[in-house]
Amino acid sequence: DIQMTQSPSFLSATVGDRVTINCKASQNINKYLNWYQQKLGEAPKRLIYNTNSLQTGIPSRFSGSGSGTDYTLTISSLQPEDVATYFCLQHNSGYTFGAGTKLELK
Amino acid sequence: AVQLVESGGGLVQPKESLKISCAASGFTFSNAAMYWVRQAPGKGLEWVARIRTKPNNYATYYADSVKGRFTISRDDSKSMVYLQMDNLKTEDTAMYYCTSGGTTSDYWGQGVMVTVSS
């Protein structure tokens, strides 16, 4: 089974900051990596699919990159409404979520 | 608009069974693979089960943690997907989300809570 190691688990940042969240797979996942945002009390929402494709309706300040085993979600300029927990998901072989990154405002 | 509405959750004792349902609307259900994802209180997300479409023989897949205990099924005539949960354990306590979508689409229900406790 593929394991996903997400870091950091907690992140505190200021409005306007550039924020990066990382996921490392235990083996090559061929860019089959999605990113989700989950706000408190809500269902998850997909932001990015297949490493770097932006879901319709998602602001362009969100972007994804990576290949092989290493992937990154970047928020170019943090906004107050981005406070949430972020999860990565590999879907190359089965489905495995990362443990999540809780993002708060400093 | 696309809607996924889960129902049937509740409190059950260990080793008991429960069947939860998800009603879909607003998209061509019969063409869509369907999934269940769960989230234990205060924890992360865990994929539970997947069911493919009729052309793919309604193939099913399960997380190791539920294999042999949970059964996913669908009724295309009613646009419904189900999760039959048998021999429930306390560690199955979670919010269960019904989800679907493809490369460019992504749909989630609001979730249904299942609590397993004596």
Side-chain angles (χ1 to χ4, degrees):
Chain A
D1 291 3
I2 296 177
Q3 309 303 315
M4 299 299 296
T5 302
Q6 187 171 341
S7 63
S9 54
F10 181 81
L11 184 54
S12 182
T14 301
V15 171
D17 280 355
R18 183 181 182 86
V19 169
T20 59
I21 298 170
N22 301 293
C23 267
K24 186 175 185 67
S26 58
Q27 63 190 71
N28 182 8
I29 55 172
N30 298 302
K31 296 193 173 186
Y32 288 109
L33 190 285
N34 299 342
W35 290 99
Y36 295 82
Q37 177 193 66
Q38 187 179 31
K39 296 184 177 180
L40 198 63
E42 298 183 5
K45 177 171 70 175
R46 193 167 73 184
L47 304 174
I48 302 283
Y49 61 94
N50 295 343
T51 295
N52 55 16
S53 295
L54 192 66
Q55 194 73 32
T56 302
I58 301 301
S60 59
R61 64 180 179 273
F62 292 93
S63 64
S65 63
S67 64
T69 61
D70 295 295
Y71 297 84
T72 299
L73 172 70
T74 300
I75 307 173
S76 61
S77 178
L78 185 67
Q79 300 302 304
E81 60 266 31
D82 300 336
V83 169
T85 301
Y86 294 82
F87 297 93
C88 62
L89 168 71
Q90 74 80 20
H91 58 104
N92 178 68
S93 174
Y95 303 89
T96 314
F97 285 95
T101 296
K102 187 172 184 180
L103 174 59
E104 74 163 27
L105 289 180
K106 195 177 293 183
Chain B
V2 170
Q3 274 199 307
L4 294 172
V5 180
E6 301 95 336
S7 61
L11 173 64
V12 295
Q13 296 194 345
K15 301 187 180 180
E16 290 188 340
S17 298
L18 190 68
K19 187 174 185 177
I20 56 177
S21 304
C22 171
S25 60
F27 64 103
T28 307
F29 181 81
S30 59
N31 291 348
M34 298 298 298
Y35 307 79
W36 287 98
V37 171
R38 69 184 180 183
Q39 187 170 36
K43 302 296 184 183
L45 298 167
E46 180 187 18
W47 169 77
V48 173
R50 172 193 181 199
I51 185 166
R52 299 184 72 179
T53 58
K54 184 176 180 180
N56 295 293
N57 299 314
Y58 298 121
T60 58
Y61 308 85
Y62 299 93
D64 287 344
S65 58
V66 307
K67 202 173 293 182
R69 300 189 298 121
F70 288 13
T71 304
I72 187 172
S73 61
R74 64 189 295 160
D75 184 337
D76 290 348
S77 68
K78 296 181 180 178
S79 296
M80 295 287 294
V81 62
Y82 307 97
L83 188 67
Q84 174 68 44
M85 301 180 289
D86 298 322
N87 190 21
L88 280 159
K89 304 177 180 181
T90 55
E91 53 263 40
D92 295 319
T93 294
M95 182 73 79
Y96 284 74
Y97 293 102
C98 170
T99 176
S100 184
T103 304
T104 58
S105 56
D106 177 54
Y107 313 130
W108 291 72
Q110 82 288 351
V112 63
M113 189 66 201
V114 173
T115 302
V116 184
S117 174
S118 55

